[in-house]
Amino acid sequence: MQAKKLRYIVDFAYRNSEFYRKFYDQAGVKPDDIKSVDDVAKLPFVKKQYLRDTYPYGMFAVPLSQIVRLHASSGTTGKPTVTGYTYEDLELWSESLARSMYAAGVRKEDVIQNAYGYGLFTGGLGFHYAGERLGATVVPSSSGNTQRQIELMLDLGTTVLCCTPSYMLYLTEYAQKMGIDIKNDTELRMGFFGAEPWSEETRKRIEEKTGIDAINIYGTSEISGPVVSECSEKAGIHFWADIFLIEIIDPETGEQLGEGESGELVVTVLGKEGLPMIRWRTGDITSMILEKCDCGRWHPRIERITGRADDMFIVRGVNVFPSHVEYALMQVKEVSEHYQIILDRDEKGLDVMTVQVEISPGYQGKTNTDLLASKVRETLKSYLNVTPKVEILEPESLPRFEGKAKRVIDKRKV
Ligand code: ADP
Ligand code: ZN
């Protein structure tokens, strides 16, 4: 089925998108060269830069009269890119995410509060239509207005919440201040968190504090938006094999890597026609799991995203991923999950990395902050091979985020 769908989409893109025709001609491949799934390796990769170069419609494979919706990426790494959908593309997107939500345990009886931003960002409408497709009750609360979110949750009996993991942390903290214990005072039983990197430790904290199942969801606007998630086993994110063909490649050489090897995720959407995505380089670092899942499904899985190839920063020659900083911080129980990384240069021009982290409310005034700072510094050093400066801040002094968190502030001039 994958081979058939791959042949179809490559041929479709070649015939209908000027971009793909030139691209494949230059690479010396013809649609006829693609016969099996393995032949995908003959095709060149599609990179974010091409979407920027052909902004806004240059890569589309159907006339605008067949495009029924546009979205734009959030622009984490530069100028936003525009994605377009035919009616069938929207159905495929909803189908994929609805299946994932079902696999995680959402049913028709659920009340889904969708606190992803509605608008150009794909999170809001993506979850909205997937929830409806599933037959659940969708509350389009969108992002922001935290007090109202919590009131809605109580009044409407919300059982499933969709938002970024950083917003979930904030919402939990906010509820506490309102005197509401999510675990005992609400019906909430599950959350779909993603759109930004988060760690296994953050999952543990969310689950312990709120008593819910925290499910990891994944997507990028180019592959439609949020499209896939973990199943109820929470052991990797299933990519539906009839909708996606996934590969893991060495980001340097472009060579395909084997099961379990860490590299960049490359996704081909088998069917999306408005803006075909064939061998899309996501920039996200993960590895693949091909064995059967305990849920009974064979659909391939990816491990939690450990970082973005372009998210990584270099401090004195050492590669650092924000997710590793987060992981290390979570090993120190006296500090909270709110942190920020500031990169700067000293008077000698050497990189200085400062990690600001809040003390956990329970330890405030009871712990010597100098000692705590050195404990955090030693922990970070052992995980990162870089020695950062550490600043211990009061609870609630760092910014909170309604959408994607911005954790790294790079003040260095190139
Ligand atoms: P932008 O590239 O502008 O942020 P998107 O809004 O499409 O555009 O964001 C997609 C990116 O968000 C992914 O490539 C990935 O880096 C990140 N992301 C999405 N979900 C997750 C997740 N569950 N874990 C880690 N990163 C994620
Ligand atoms: Zn599974």
Side-chain angles (χ1 to χ4, degrees):
M1 187 196 276
Q2 281 190 321
K4 190 174 147 201
K5 289 190 172 185
L6 178 67
R7 282 196 299 269
Y8 174 82
I9 196 65
V10 169
D11 183 63
F12 182 86
Y14 187 82
R15 278 187 294 107
N16 297 294
S17 156
E18 204 185 314
F19 166 84
Y20 275 104
R21 186 161 52 248
K22 282 193 191 142
F23 190 46
Y24 290 162
D25 281 347
Q26 269 164 16
V29 278
K30 291 264 171 292
D32 281 350
D33 299 334
I34 307 303
K35 294 189 173 74
S36 67
V37 167
D38 289 343
D39 289 335
V40 75
K42 294 178 181 166
L43 298 166
F45 298 109
V46 173
K47 299 183 188 144
K48 193 141 195 139
Q49 192 55 41
Y50 305 158
L51 277 159
R52 294 198 176 114
D53 294 345
T54 59
Y55 178 89
Y57 302 138
M59 283 176 68
F60 287 18
V62 303
L64 269 189
S65 59
Q66 284 179 44
I67 295 287
V68 298
R69 198 193 301 159
L70 296 174
H71 276 289
S73 77
S74 35
T76 314
T77 57
K79 188 179 162 74
T81 50
V82 168
T83 50
Y85 309 73
T86 63
Y87 190 78
E88 290 72 25
D89 292 343
L90 291 178
E91 297 227 299
L92 188 71
W93 176 12
S94 303
E95 163 71 23
S96 177
L97 186 56
R99 259 198 232 170
S100 297
M101 292 170 86
Y102 190 93
V106 182
R107 294 293 180 270
K108 285 199 293 195
E109 293 72 22
D110 278 299
V111 177
I112 304 174
Q113 187 167 328
N114 184 15
Y116 280 110
Y118 279 64
L120 284 173
F121 174 57
T122 51
L125 292 180
F127 270 98
H128 184 94
Y129 287 104
E132 287 187 355
R133 172 107 174 187
L134 203 63
T137 308
V138 180
V139 182
S141 58
S142 195
S143 57
N145 204 343
T146 310
Q147 171 140 0
R148 179 105 176 98
Q149 299 277 3
I150 294 162
E151 285 164 4
L152 283 171
M153 197 180 281
L154 291 166
D155 295 347
L156 306 179
T158 301
T159 54
V160 177
L161 180 68
C162 307
C163 65
T164 56
S166 48
Y167 188 61
M168 183 59 194
L169 292 171
Y170 177 57
L171 190 128
T172 308
E173 196 178 69
Y174 201 100
Q176 253 166 4
K177 268 194 288 175
M178 287 168 69
I180 289 153
D181 173 14
I182 293 188
K183 197 183 270 182
N184 296 307
D185 302 338
T186 73
E187 304 280 311
L188 201 67
R189 63 180 192 88
M190 197 182 289
F192 285 86
F193 308 122
E196 64 184 10
W198 57 308
S199 62
E200 206 48 47
E201 299 299 311
T202 301
R203 162 147 53 202
K204 270 193 221 138
R205 286 206 184 184
I206 292 176
E207 294 191 335
E208 274 165 23
K209 281 186 181 170
T210 63
I212 68 169
D213 261 326
I215 307 286
N216 192 10
I217 66 111
Y218 176 81
T220 83
S221 52
E222 296 79 8
I223 62 171
S224 295
V227 276
V228 284
S229 77
E230 293 170 325
C231 64
S232 50
E233 296 296 323
K234 295 188 281 191
I237 294 173
H238 281 285
F239 264 91
W240 307 116
D242 56 326
I243 306 181
F244 304 98
L245 179 62
I246 60 170
E247 305 167 69
I248 301 290
I249 62 158
D250 177 331
E252 303 290 326
T253 64
E255 291 291 313
Q256 281 182 345
L257 297 177
E259 180 173 9
E261 289 183 287
S262 171
E264 182 175 346
L265 174 68
V266 172
V267 182
T268 298
V269 187
L270 302 167
K272 196 157 89 73
E273 294 188 348
L275 175 57
M277 273 301 139
I278 303 168
R279 291 202 108 193
W280 162 247
R281 282 186 74 149
T282 62
D284 295 320
I285 306 297
T286 180
S287 58
M288 218 186 315
I289 310 166
L290 294 175
E291 65 190 38
K292 185 177 176 184
C293 180
D294 285 342
C295 73
R297 294 179 182 85
W298 282 97
H299 294 272
R301 285 171 285 164
I302 57 163
E303 295 278 9
R304 186 180 283 282
I305 308 279
T306 54
R308 192 141 151 153
D310 47 16
D311 214 24
M312 185 193 78
F313 52 85
I314 301 176
V315 180
R316 300 194 183 192
V318 179
N319 296 355
V320 181
F321 285 103
S323 56
H324 293 164
V325 174
E326 178 174 324
Y327 183 79
L329 288 175
M330 292 290 183
Q331 311 305 313
V332 183
K333 64 177 188 311
E334 296 95 331
V335 297
S336 80
E337 49 277 356
H338 301 283
Y339 70 96
Q340 197 157 53
I341 301 163
I342 296 164
L343 303 172
D344 211 343
R345 292 227 162 89
D346 64 12
E347 59 288 349
K348 290 190 207 121
L350 291 173
D351 294 333
V352 184
M353 170 178 166
T354 307
V355 176
Q356 297 179 322
V357 63
E358 293 176 5
I359 190 163
S360 297
Y363 289 94
Q364 197 184 12
K366 295 181 194 138
T367 304
N368 178 316
T369 46
D370 289 339
L371 287 179
L372 179 55
S374 59
K375 180 175 175 186
V376 172
R377 187 172 56 243
E378 288 310 307
T379 310
L380 285 167
K381 189 179 156 190
S382 69
Y383 280 97
L384 307 174
N385 293 319
V386 190
T387 312
K389 281 189 179 167
V390 173
E391 292 174 11
I392 305 289
L393 308 179
E394 305 261 291
E396 291 181 56
S397 41
L398 287 171
R400 302 293 193 259
F401 303 92
E402 288 175 357
K404 294 192 190 216
K406 185 158 174 44
R407 304 275 190 206
V408 185
I409 299 172
D410 198 342
K411 297 178 173 167
R412 300 176 294 185
K413 304 248 164 18
V414 181

